[in-house]
Amino acid sequence: DVKVTQSSRYLVKRTGEKVFLECVQDMDHENMFWYRQDPGLGLRLIYFSYDVKMKEKGDIPEGYSVSREKKERFSLILESASTNQTSMYLCASSPPGQYYGYTFGSGTRLTVV
Amino acid sequence: QQQVKQSPQSLIVQKGGISIINCAYENTAFDYFPWYQQFPGKGPALLIAIRPDVSEKKEGRFTISFNKSAKQFSLHIMDSQPGDSATYFCAAHASGGSYIPTFGRGTSLIVHP
């Protein structure tokens, strides 16, 4: 069974802290994505990557950066966490050139206090 | 600009009833329309999907109806069960694009016993 694993289910951080959210997939997928999910706003794309060391901005990249040093791992970085970044963060992956292999992780609920 | 509009935002149905969630899109390049189901504490998972060359697709109690001329598609859940209580997202893809789906904002469905 294919899997996208997010390292933390719940995370509480202080304002101004640097935060790392980790995502690992075991499907050998080229494409990986980071979304945030907020009530009433749905899923909003933060960053995505089509290959190792490659990254592209999504719809809401401000305040975030990403790192992809290995094919299976995609990290989301909050350089200086703020309270408006309190949200559910979802990682997803998919094989290249396909719609239907889109697989999500279980999410990390981040609270910034 | 919201390219896929989903309604209603929330829905309460009695057990055994029919749940209907609607989505409308604007981009005529969209050619794949999946629905995702998300249970609390989990990431979204692909439920059912349709291509515009058919008007309906059924899988068990779940049916997608597609109206290409109106640029609308809907999810029907027949004989709704409490276990169907979840958040549902519609999405749309364009094969000539980046293969990144455009999501609706989600519908929270509660099925009362």
Side-chain angles (χ1 to χ4, degrees):
Chain A
D1 195 19
V2 295
K3 276 194 174 176
V4 176
T5 302
Q6 294 183 233
S7 55
S8 303
R9 291 294 303 274
Y10 300 95
L11 215 50
V12 180
K13 296 291 181 181
R14 295 195 178 276
T15 301
E17 275 193 78
K18 190 169 186 176
V19 181
F20 293 86
L21 302 184
E22 305 289 343
C23 176
V24 177
Q25 50 96 1
D26 65 0
M27 298 165 283
D28 202 33
H29 284 172
E30 277 77 5
N31 305 331
M32 296 189 74
F33 310 84
W34 275 106
Y35 289 85
R36 65 176 282 176
Q37 181 178 7
D38 300 287
L41 297 178
L43 302 169
R44 293 184 291 168
L45 182 63
I46 305 171
Y47 267 97
F48 60 100
S49 169
Y50 287 140
D51 203 350
V52 175
K53 296 193 183 293
M54 173 270 174
K55 60 184 179 183
E56 294 281 351
K57 293 181 180 179
D59 300 319
I60 52 164
E62 297 77 20
Y64 304 95
S65 63
V66 290
S67 173
R68 193 162 181 203
E69 297 296 320
K70 293 184 178 181
K71 187 177 184 180
E72 67 272 17
R73 186 180 298 269
F74 192 34
S75 303
L76 180 68
I77 304 160
L78 287 66
E79 295 290 343
S80 178
S82 63
T83 55
N84 63 12
Q85 292 179 309
T86 292
S87 186
M88 169 69 85
Y89 290 89
L90 290 162
C91 176
S93 73
S94 73
Q98 295 184 27
Y99 317 126
Y100 33 84
Y102 220 80
T103 304
F104 284 90
S106 292
T108 296
R109 183 164 295 281
L110 172 67
T111 302
V112 182
V113 298
Chain B
Q1 183 181 2
Q2 192 179 348
Q3 291 196 54
V4 178
K5 294 183 178 180
Q6 183 172 347
S7 63
Q9 187 172 344
S10 62
L11 182 61
I12 298 175
V13 174
Q14 291 297 122
K15 179 182 176 181
I18 302 173
S19 304
I20 301 174
I21 304 170
N22 300 299
C23 285
Y25 63 97
E26 298 172 359
N27 186 350
T28 54
F30 289 147
D31 57 2
Y32 180 73
F33 302 89
W35 285 88
Y36 288 82
Q37 179 187 53
Q38 182 183 28
F39 293 110
K42 299 289 186 182
L46 179 64
L47 177 65
I48 186 173
I50 196 169
R51 294 189 181 277
D53 51 347
V54 296
S55 60
E56 185 175 283
K57 182 172 182 180
K58 184 175 182 180
E59 290 184 4
R61 296 184 292 108
F62 299 89
T63 300
I64 300 178
S65 297
F66 184 80
N67 186 329
K68 188 174 182 178
S69 61
K71 292 186 285 187
Q72 294 175 348
F73 57 110
S74 58
L75 176 70
H76 296 237
I77 306 175
M78 311 301 288
D79 186 27
S80 298
Q81 299 296 313
D84 297 330
S85 298
T87 299
Y88 293 83
F89 293 95
C90 64
H93 292 252
S95 59
S98 64
Y99 296 96
I100 297 175
T102 298
F103 286 97
R105 291 189 175 182
T107 296
S108 175
L109 170 66
I110 296 174
V111 181
H112 283 311

